[in-house]
């Protein structure tokens, strides 16, 4: 399936440290998105990176995309306790108009 | 208004009950989605509505019946559910039904428990 695999499954860091999450996928993509989900709540869109882009920034977020390796990473710099959440990558499965979510990384930022 | 609202927030139902979940958006989005999410798992797509027409059904059992009365509203009718259907049900919308090309806006979800 297209579903992305995320690594690590869980990550615990101290406030102020950087957090890096990785996503690998199986088929070619046009775009890759990252979402955040606070416990038991809806998802919030963080960033969309297109297949012809290699890096994108939004505030403390930095996303990279390596289409040759079929992988993406999300870096959160200077983390805060409020960044504690699950983070999912998502890709479109071919031209199906379906967004398929990766397995997710649970990030815990300790104050 | 950049919000997707869902009601109710919590729902407990027996296996013989009939209930409905409601989702609303006023952003003029033309695609709306239902997802199911089990604990510690990613959301799984159930249905996609494109311009108020059902365009994708991910082989969802018929005990789940979606409805899109107008471009702002999306319902999910539930009947004869099983305990394994207990999950967080998420509604989302996007400007166009273009899969990964647009961000999706999610509602807060309905936590469903089937007894």
């Amino acid at each position: 399936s297209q579903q992305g695999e995320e690594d690590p499954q869980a990550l615990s860091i101290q406030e102020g440290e950087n957090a890096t999450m990785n996503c690998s996928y199986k088929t070619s993509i046009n775009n890759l998105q990252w979402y955040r989900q606070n416990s038991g709540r809806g998802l919030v869109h963080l960033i969309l990176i297109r297949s012809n882009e290699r890096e994108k920034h939004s505030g403390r977020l930095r996303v990279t995309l390596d289409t040759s390796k079929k992988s993406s990473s999300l870096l959160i710099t200077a983390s805060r306790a409020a960044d504690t959440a699950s983070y999912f990558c998502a890709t479109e499965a071919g031209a199906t108009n379906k967004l398929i979510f990766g397995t997710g990384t649970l990030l815990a930022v300790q104050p | 208004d950049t919000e997707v609202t869902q009601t109710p927030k919590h729902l407990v139902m027996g296996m013989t009950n009939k209930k409905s979940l409601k989702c609303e958006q006023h952003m003029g989005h033309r695609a709306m989605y239902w997802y199911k999410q089990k604990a510690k798992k990613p959301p799984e797509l159930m249905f996609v509505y494109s311009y108020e027409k059902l365009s994708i059904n991910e082989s969802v059992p018929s005990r789940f019946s979606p409805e899109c009365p107008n471009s702002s509203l999306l319902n999910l009718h539930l009947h004869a559910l099983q305990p394994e259907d207990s999950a967080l049900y998420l509604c989302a919308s996007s400007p166009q039904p273009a899969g990964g090309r647009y961000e999706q806006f999610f509602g807060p979800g309905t936590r469903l428990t089937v007894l």
Side-chain angles (χ1 to χ4, degrees):
Chain A
S1 82
Q2 170 67 5
Q3 184 180 62
E5 296 286 331
E6 291 186 57
D7 165 53
Q9 286 188 328
L11 179 60
S12 182
I13 59 174
Q14 296 295 124
E15 236 177 356
E17 293 180 338
N18 295 342
T20 299
M21 288 156 262
N22 302 295
C23 167
S24 59
Y25 54 91
K26 295 179 182 175
T27 63
S28 61
I29 61 169
N30 293 319
N31 308 282
L32 185 141
Q33 301 184 31
W34 284 90
Y35 288 81
R36 184 187 77 221
Q37 184 178 34
N38 289 82
S39 179
R41 304 293 292 168
L43 282 76
V44 174
H45 181 265
L46 296 176
I47 203 161
L48 182 153
I49 186 166
R50 305 193 190 284
S51 59
N52 60 354
E53 297 175 310
R54 290 296 165 259
E55 189 171 310
K56 203 161 183 179
H57 297 255
S58 176
R60 294 183 295 113
L61 306 180
R62 172 178 166 248
V63 168
T64 62
L65 179 64
D66 187 334
T67 53
S68 66
K69 294 182 179 177
K70 293 187 171 59
S71 68
S72 174
S73 67
L74 170 67
L75 168 68
I76 304 174
T77 59
S79 63
R80 305 166 182 167
D83 295 327
T84 294
S86 292
Y87 292 82
F88 295 95
C89 64
T91 56
E92 181 180 5
T96 60
N97 292 336
K98 298 190 289 189
L99 202 58
I100 306 299
F101 287 85
T103 51
T105 293
L106 178 58
L107 173 66
V109 182
Q110 310 297 334
Chain B
D1 185 355
T2 58
E3 195 179 36
V4 175
T5 59
Q6 286 188 247
T7 54
K9 290 184 179 172
H10 301 275
L11 179 62
V12 179
M13 60 186 289
M15 289 191 284
T16 58
N17 292 158
K18 284 186 182 180
K19 296 285 185 183
S20 297
L21 309 184
K22 181 180 171 181
C23 173
E24 198 163 2
Q25 56 89 12
H26 294 287
M27 294 177 278
H29 288 176
R30 305 316 303 269
M32 296 185 77
Y33 312 82
W34 280 115
Y35 290 88
K36 174 182 176 180
Q37 186 178 27
K38 301 284 269 185
K40 301 189 180 184
K41 296 290 186 183
E44 292 181 356
L45 184 65
M46 299 174 72
F47 303 103
V48 179
Y49 270 84
S50 170
Y51 294 90
E52 300 157 54
K53 290 188 178 355
L54 182 65
S55 61
I56 294 177
N57 176 342
E58 288 288 89
S59 302
V60 179
S62 60
R63 57 187 185 268
F64 295 91
S65 175
E67 178 197 20
C68 189
N70 60 55
S71 60
S72 300
L73 275 176
L74 187 65
N75 297 320
L76 186 63
H77 303 298
L78 314 172
H79 175 53
L81 295 193
Q82 304 296 311
E84 60 264 28
D85 296 322
S86 298
L88 181 68
Y89 287 83
L90 294 162
C91 174
S93 69
S94 63
Q96 297 288 330
R101 281 169 279 171
Y102 296 95
E103 69 174 278
Q104 292 189 12
F105 292 74
F106 281 81
T110 293
R111 174 74 59 190
L112 174 68
T113 303
V114 182
L115 301 176

